[in-house]
Amino acid sequence: AQSVTQPDIHITVSEGASLELRCNYSYGATPYLFWYVQSPGQGLQLLLKYFSGDTLVQGIKGFEAEFKRSQSSFNLRKPSVHWSDAAEYFCAVGNTGGGNKLTFGTGTQLKVEL
Amino acid sequence: KAGVTQTPRYLIKTRGQQVTLSCSPISGHRSVSWYQQTPGQGLQFLFEYFSETQRNKGNFPGRFSGRQFSNSRSEMNVSTLELGDSALYLCASSSHRDRGSEAFFGQGTRLTVV
């Protein structure tokens, strides 16, 4: 069965600093990978997705992620963090058996210091 | 285009009662998935419906059930509520039946069982 690991539960960065959130997946074939962001009391918003092709994926709000098959990783990055980026970030993998089921990691809570 | 609408936003129920949550997907979307989010277990997949048929089901007891109507609106029902059912229940809609289509999430229904 597929699984996703986000090793960092909490991360604190200063505004303007760079950010990298880690994600490792377990999947038997070419994965469909996603990063979502959740603000307090809200649903999830898609930041970016990887299906195939270019391993560096650009998303909304200045985020990007790089798919590395050899490391089973899909880390999320942003060159300069803004205070409004404080939220919880979830990495997810699409279902092996078809359909739209997503398997999520446990999430990384990002705090931004001003 | 209106987003995914979940009603009600907040709900307080007593142990042993049952509850029905509603989800209206984005117009034209035929796939609806449900997730339970708790601090301890994170985001867990409940089930997915496509064109009124359940396609995938998560590892939840039979007290959790769902259905989808011909207009793609979906409901989930939890019978004999337990304290542990307190959670944020999120609904997501997708335009296609395949695992690569983007999932758009509603703001969720916050269920509290007392």
Side-chain angles (χ1 to χ4, degrees):
Chain A
Q2 65 264 34
S3 65
V4 176
T5 301
Q6 292 181 249
D8 304 307
I9 298 174
H10 296 98
I11 282 185
T12 301
V13 298
S14 299
E15 190 175 39
S18 64
L19 172 70
E20 183 169 24
L21 302 181
R22 296 183 291 166
C23 172
N24 293 97
Y25 65 89
S26 173
Y27 194 83
T30 301
Y32 284 12
L33 294 162
F34 307 82
W35 273 100
Y36 283 87
V37 61
Q38 185 179 35
S39 298
Q42 301 297 313
L44 280 71
Q45 181 183 24
L46 181 69
L47 289 174
L48 46 78
K49 59 188 178 185
Y50 171 79
F51 293 163
S52 63
D54 193 348
T55 56
L56 186 62
V57 180
Q58 302 296 322
I60 62 171
K61 305 184 180 186
F63 286 93
E64 66 178 27
E66 186 171 11
F67 170 64
K68 292 185 177 181
R69 184 187 300 275
S70 61
Q71 299 177 19
S72 297
S73 69
F74 188 56
N75 294 348
L76 182 71
R77 300 194 295 246
K78 187 170 185 178
S80 178
V81 169
H82 188 262
W83 64 267
S84 61
D85 292 325
E88 191 155 22
Y89 291 79
F90 293 93
C91 181
V93 65
N95 190 36
T96 54
N100 292 302
K101 172 187 173 182
L102 295 172
T103 299
F104 286 90
T106 50
T108 297
Q109 185 71 49
L110 174 64
K111 180 180 175 182
V112 180
E113 290 182 334
L114 301 176
Chain B
K1 205 177 206 182
V4 178
T5 303
Q6 292 188 245
T7 55
R9 288 291 312 279
Y10 302 92
L11 208 47
I12 300 175
K13 289 287 188 178
T14 304
R15 269 184 306 174
Q17 288 186 312
Q18 74 164 10
V19 66
T20 299
L21 311 181
S22 179
C23 172
S24 293
I26 292 171
S27 178
H29 285 195
R30 295 162 63 190
S31 169
V32 174
S33 300
W34 288 88
Y35 295 84
Q36 181 196 65
Q37 185 176 25
T38 59
Q41 299 298 317
L43 279 155
Q44 293 188 287
F45 173 79
L46 281 156
F47 26 66
E48 179 197 359
Y49 288 88
F50 184 88
S51 294
E52 303 179 65
T53 301
Q54 188 179 87
R55 299 190 64 204
N56 288 295
K57 189 176 190 305
N59 188 26
F60 278 82
R63 300 185 296 107
F64 291 81
S65 62
R67 59 178 176 169
Q68 187 180 32
F69 301 96
S70 58
N71 63 357
S72 294
R73 190 178 70 86
S74 178
E75 289 181 346
M76 67 162 283
N77 183 276
V78 188
S79 62
T80 320
L81 283 165
E82 301 177 359
L83 295 179
D85 298 333
S86 295
L88 180 66
Y89 290 88
L90 292 165
C91 167
S93 78
S94 302
S95 58
H96 297 92
R97 60 181 294 141
D98 296 326
R99 63 192 178 107
S101 60
E102 177 180 349
F104 293 85
F105 284 81
Q107 292 188 293
T109 294
R110 172 74 62 184
L111 171 64
T112 302
V113 182
V114 298

